[in-house]
Amino acid sequence: MSSGIKAKVLVDRDFVIGEAGPRLYGSFVEHMARCVYGGIYEPDHGSADSMGFRTDVIDLVRELKVPIIRYPGGNFVSGYNWEDGVGPVQERPRRLDLAWHTVEPNLVGTNEFVQWARRVGAEVMLAVNLGTRGIEAAANLVEYCNRSGGSYFSDLRRSHGYQDPHRIRVFCLGNEMDGPWQIGHKTADEYGRLACETAKAMKWVDPSIELVVCGSSGRGMPTFPQWDATVLEHTYEHVDYLSLHTYYGDDELDTAEFLAKPVDMSAYIDEAVAACDFVKAKKRSRKTMYLSFDEWNVWFRHRTDDLYTMEDALVFSGMLLSLINHADRVKIGCQAQLVNAIAPIYTAKGGRAWRQTIYYPFQHASHYGRGNVLRALITSPAYDSCKHEGVPVLDGAVVHDPASGELTAFLLNRGSEPLSVEVQIRGFDGCLLVERITMAADDLRAKNTEDCPCRVIPSRVQTAECSDGGMTVLLRGYSWNVLRFSERGVA
Ligand code: AHR
């Protein structure tokens, strides 16, 4: 090993943090910018199917194995009438969308989106409007989607050509209701009361649904975490998840500072868990509240395009690691958004669809990050940035899938220099390295574009350093890495 910089990862089969279920690797489709229209839906495109959906996009989404997709917003949902988006398309109204200051043509609505999600192999997580609407519209939507028939809204669905219920399992009670930018913004008490009564009515229509209540729309909100605690005091026994949202990239940051951002995400999760557990204790409840991190990504609102760099992919990877390492409490994760708008998939109008830099770490985690998350004890050099002290140069997460016998270590080198990492694995007899993947770029500003869609891609590394129980690997500076081991040595 030529690098003088050393780090270590130690894992033990028995030290399990929690289970990373498939829903941790979900995404989000909002009626925003070119996510729906010109993204998943472009009827004039050469690859469009009979419903107008781009099949090249469907193929790229399928490759990600996204298990759950939140829809239709986001801020959009706070002014949305779901009834506008169902029934004969030619009769649907064109409505002003006050969230994104555009006109919504309602060519895609709940039924079309459910069909599309089925094509990509994902379940739908539907958000209801608690901005301009309330209990009745939300309960009616559950009835429309989930009752088989014999009532007004379930029969309406059937008359629209959908005989079988959509069986939506997860609903969000509004979106970012703490934000003054939200249509129908509310105080924590106003929202908490409305969310509670809406939750009760929705579960009376279908007791099997799971509900996500809005937490703060970010750790930086002045009302966090009091907002979350107040909302939970109103809703604790009626909801199943508290939502969290985070985007990094708005401030001008140097690389070290930017790469440290996921440290903030981990602190945010810990603090949200503390708010949940405070309310649990106060209510003497036996129920544990889980988290739905249903919007997260790198987002530069001031950039002229939504193209991601290698540097962005490293920050994104750190955010993924933070989610995986909190899998005991974060049970739903929705990377925001899926196509074009702050997204891993990008399309040109009438042209190609391609994978952005962030696509790859997301794909790796979605494919190999399901199972028991093992506590990764990391010894690493660290640095102080302006906002964060002791940022570890090496970050990582390790997941064991007992069913397949696979063990995967995800490792992020935040440093500019190569890093020699000793990986020690305890409790796995006969554990062999079957694949090593790395993603790095000489230029941190490198992006994948329409002309050059494969500028930043991962590659397989030939490696022979593995011995039973551990190995030492040399990670490139500024790199994302995946080490895949097989318990039985099966490739
Ligand atoms: O994902 C983009 C927007 O970011 C969402 O509409 C909103 O919820 C968040 O502020």
Side-chain angles (χ1 to χ4, degrees):
M1 289 294 144
S2 57
S3 169
I5 309 177
K6 292 189 169 41
K8 184 173 161 184
V9 184
L10 170 66
V11 287
D12 188 299
R13 182 190 198 104
D14 292 330
F15 297 168
V16 178
I17 293 177
E19 194 195 345
R23 281 179 175 172
L24 201 56
Y25 306 109
S27 190
F28 172 38
V29 167
E30 176 167 7
H31 285 244
M32 172 189 160
R34 290 199 310 122
C35 187
V36 173
Y37 304 113
I40 65 170
Y41 178 85
E42 192 179 331
D44 298 338
H45 192 270
S47 80
D49 64 13
S50 58
M51 292 184 77
F53 291 122
R54 284 182 64 153
T55 56
D56 56 349
V57 172
I58 287 176
D59 290 344
L60 289 180
V61 176
R62 274 198 194 132
E63 273 181 42
L64 281 174
K65 288 198 186 162
V66 181
I68 188 166
I69 305 179
R70 183 167 173 253
Y71 174 85
N75 296 341
F76 172 79
V77 81
S78 295
Y80 184 54
N81 296 336
W82 66 264
E83 301 88 338
D84 291 347
V86 297
V89 174
Q90 61 282 3
E91 292 172 19
R92 296 185 192 172
R94 290 173 60 80
R95 292 253 193 226
L96 286 186
D97 164 16
L98 302 184
W100 302 114
H101 310 291
T102 178
V103 175
E104 168 57 44
N106 283 306
L107 301 175
V108 173
T110 305
N111 295 321
E112 290 83 14
F113 188 74
V114 167
Q115 295 305 301
W116 179 84
R118 209 155 276 156
R119 298 273 309 276
V120 303
E123 68 166 308
V124 176
M125 172 174 171
L126 269 188
V128 302
N129 174 355
L130 291 191
T132 58
R133 306 191 75 192
I135 304 169
E136 192 179 7
N140 292 347
L141 179 61
V142 179
E143 180 187 330
Y144 182 90
C145 289
N146 285 6
R147 269 188 75 95
S148 50
S151 63
Y152 178 80
F153 285 103
S154 56
D155 287 341
L156 184 65
R157 184 200 66 244
R158 291 169 73 102
S159 77
H160 292 157
Y162 298 88
Q163 298 305 309
D164 295 328
H166 295 325
R167 299 189 179 87
I168 306 293
R169 294 274 59 84
V170 186
F171 287 85
C172 304
L173 294 161
N175 176 71
E176 295 188 350
M177 299 309 301
D178 63 327
W181 59 86
Q182 202 65 216
I183 308 167
H185 164 226
K186 293 171 176 53
T187 66
D189 283 310
E190 287 167 350
Y191 170 67
R193 284 289 304 129
L194 177 61
C196 174
E197 295 307 316
T198 307
K200 280 160 55 184
M202 291 170 78
K203 285 194 172 176
W204 282 331
V205 177
D206 181 352
S208 70
I209 60 174
E210 299 162 48
L211 294 176
V212 183
V213 74
C214 291
S216 297
S217 51
R219 188 182 185 218
M221 292 299 285
T223 46
F224 175 77
Q226 184 58 59
W227 162 279
D228 309 64
T230 304
V231 165
L232 286 173
E233 286 188 20
H234 286 288
T235 59
Y236 201 86
E237 297 302 337
H238 302 285
V239 302
D240 306 280
Y241 309 89
L242 177 77
S243 79
L244 287 77
H245 292 178
T246 278
Y247 295 99
Y248 296 126
D250 266 345
D251 6 355
E252 290 298 332
L253 300 171
D254 64 22
T255 298
E257 194 74 53
F258 191 28
L259 294 188
K261 280 292 185 183
V263 172
D264 175 84
M265 182 163 176
S266 292
Y268 178 25
I269 295 172
D270 292 340
E271 289 157 1
V273 166
C276 292
D277 292 349
F278 165 75
V279 179
K280 177 181 183 176
K282 197 170 169 191
K283 287 186 171 287
R284 310 313 191 237
S285 175
R286 296 167 69 93
K287 172 179 173 179
T288 297
M289 187 62 56
Y290 291 103
L291 304 182
S292 171
F293 214 125
D294 45 41
E295 286 188 33
W296 67 270
N297 205 344
V298 169
W299 187 9
F300 288 89
R301 285 166 226 247
H302 57 269
R303 269 194 199 160
T304 50
D305 64 30
D306 268 326
L307 294 180
Y308 285 110
T309 64
M310 177 66 211
E311 185 178 75
D312 300 333
L314 294 172
V315 177
F316 181 94
S317 305
M319 297 177 83
L320 261 174
L321 296 177
S322 173
L323 285 181
I324 297 171
N325 282 324
H326 288 89
D328 54 333
R329 296 302 287 266
V330 182
K331 293 299 176 188
I332 299 177
C334 299
Q335 168 281 320
Q337 300 182 5
L338 191 52
V339 184
N340 290 333
I342 34 176
I345 297 168
Y346 209 78
T347 69
K349 183 172 161 44
R352 74 186 337 157
W354 68 96
R355 301 169 188 82
Q356 295 233 52
T357 57
I358 61 171
Y359 183 98
Y360 297 103
F362 190 45
Q363 182 182 38
H364 297 149
S366 174
H367 283 229
Y368 311 125
R370 303 174 187 206
N372 291 337
V373 181
L374 304 185
R375 188 165 301 288
L377 292 177
I378 294 181
T379 315
S380 163
Y383 65 91
D384 292 339
S385 71
C386 298
K387 293 190 181 145
H388 301 94
E389 281 175 19
V391 181
V393 172
L394 178 72
D395 202 349
V398 180
V399 182
H400 173 226
D401 179 4
S404 67
E406 280 208 9
L407 179 78
T408 304
F410 302 101
L411 301 176
L412 170 67
N413 180 3
R414 287 196 174 96
S416 57
E417 299 300 317
L419 189 64
S420 171
V421 179
E422 184 192 339
V423 182
Q424 260 194 33
I425 304 167
R426 292 187 185 157
F428 292 88
D429 289 337
C431 193
L432 293 180
L433 184 73
V434 292
E435 188 178 29
R436 180 175 161 194
I437 302 167
T438 193
M439 194 168 111
D442 296 330
D443 177 6
L444 279 182
R445 309 269 171 251
K447 304 171 175 181
N448 295 335
T449 60
E450 187 179 11
D451 294 337
C452 196
C454 299
R455 173 126 189 251
V456 186
I457 56 172
S459 56
R460 285 185 86 162
V461 183
Q462 293 303 326
T463 184
E465 306 105 327
C466 180
S467 72
D468 217 10
M471 62 183 299
T472 299
V473 285
L474 188 64
L475 307 184
R476 284 182 63 180
Y478 294 137
S479 64
W480 163 252
N481 305 272
V482 183
L483 305 181
R484 295 181 54 220
F485 301 89
S486 171
E487 221 178 320
R488 302 179 195 99
V490 182

